[in-house]
Amino acid sequence: MKQDKFYKAIESNSFFERWKKTSQDYNKLVLRSHKKDILRILKKNISLKSLKVLEIGSFISDLLFVLKKDYNCKIDGVEPSSKACRYALDKFKIKILNKTFYESHFFDLKRKNKNKFDLIICDDVLSWIDRSIILEVLSCINWLLKDNGYIFIRDFSPNKNFAHKNHHWPK
């Protein structure tokens, strides 16, 4: 099974359930701490006012909610967890696309998506995209970006190399 298909089929909703079980913020409308870090970095470097924003892997869409509410951004999100999508709609009144980025209409290069977004946020999702399509995904992200737009990419980046079996899925 390709990594992105595995993530959508199994890990995305499992991740939501683990977050729900351990989160202090599950029933609150708050921005999670690592999303606060992203917002702080973005505010320090660019004007966020009225941008068109795509968040790939938007999870519960708390960052999109703040960008829409506080900065009047037009927002789009794509998220493979159906449970996170439902949460985003229930808590933040945000409807995001329940797909992987690769299977979404954003990835359809025949559509008129070219140069659509001022800012694309891709936080902690590239490690779940199958290596056989990673270059296509990065090219498509660039293709979706307006001229002089911004891409925020942050992913799993430990300070030393290591390998071990995935403890979420032993197979």
Side-chain angles (χ1 to χ4, degrees):
M1 182 183 285
K2 286 187 172 189
Q3 232 168 293
D4 54 322
K5 288 183 180 178
F6 164 79
Y7 191 81
K8 179 163 190 203
I10 297 167
E11 178 56 19
S12 63
N13 281 331
S14 296
F15 179 78
F16 178 86
E17 288 299 327
R18 287 192 305 275
W19 171 77
K20 177 181 172 182
K21 197 180 295 185
T22 61
S23 174
Q24 304 283 331
D25 302 327
Y26 178 74
N27 287 313
K28 301 174 188 167
L29 293 175
V30 297
L31 187 60
R32 293 170 293 146
S33 63
H34 67 286
K35 296 298 182 174
K36 286 179 186 175
D37 292 340
I38 294 172
L39 184 61
R40 181 185 47 77
I41 292 166
L42 291 172
K43 285 182 354 184
K44 181 179 175 183
N45 291 287
I46 64 174
S47 170
L48 295 172
K49 187 128 177 81
S50 301
L51 296 179
K52 288 185 77 175
V53 179
L54 171 63
E55 186 175 18
I56 301 167
S58 54
F59 193 51
I60 61 167
S61 298
D62 49 339
L63 180 57
L64 290 176
F65 175 74
V66 170
L67 290 171
K68 180 180 179 180
K69 181 176 71 75
D70 295 349
Y71 299 95
N72 197 36
C73 291
K74 299 204 180 346
I75 57 168
D76 274 300
V78 58
E79 168 58 43
S81 169
S82 59
K83 292 180 178 186
C85 290
R86 230 173 288 121
Y87 182 96
L89 187 58
D90 292 346
K91 296 287 184 192
F92 297 112
K93 307 299 183 238
I94 295 175
K95 184 169 175 53
I96 53 176
L97 187 61
N98 180 213
K99 295 187 179 286
T100 65
F101 179 67
Y102 188 73
E103 68 185 7
S104 74
H105 67 273
F106 297 112
F107 200 83
D108 183 359
L109 301 181
K110 294 175 186 150
R111 292 183 62 147
K112 298 191 188 293
N113 287 329
K114 186 173 174 29
N115 300 329
K116 185 174 183 175
F117 296 99
D118 301 298
L119 171 63
I120 299 175
I121 301 166
C122 188
D123 178 40
D124 213 12
V125 295
L126 293 178
S127 58
W128 286 104
I129 295 174
D130 196 79
R131 298 303 119 209
S132 65
I133 60 170
I134 193 72
L135 291 177
E136 292 174 73
V137 167
L138 291 170
S139 295
C140 185
I141 290 169
N142 183 60
W143 183 75
L144 289 169
L145 195 67
K146 288 181 180 178
D147 291 340
N148 300 310
Y150 301 93
I151 300 174
F152 179 93
I153 295 177
R154 181 172 69 174
D155 216 290
F156 183 69
S157 182
N159 57 9
K160 65 179 185 169
N161 292 334
F162 70 93
H164 63 83
K165 288 188 176 201
N166 184 324
H167 63 279
H168 301 302
W169 188 253
K171 297 179 184 176

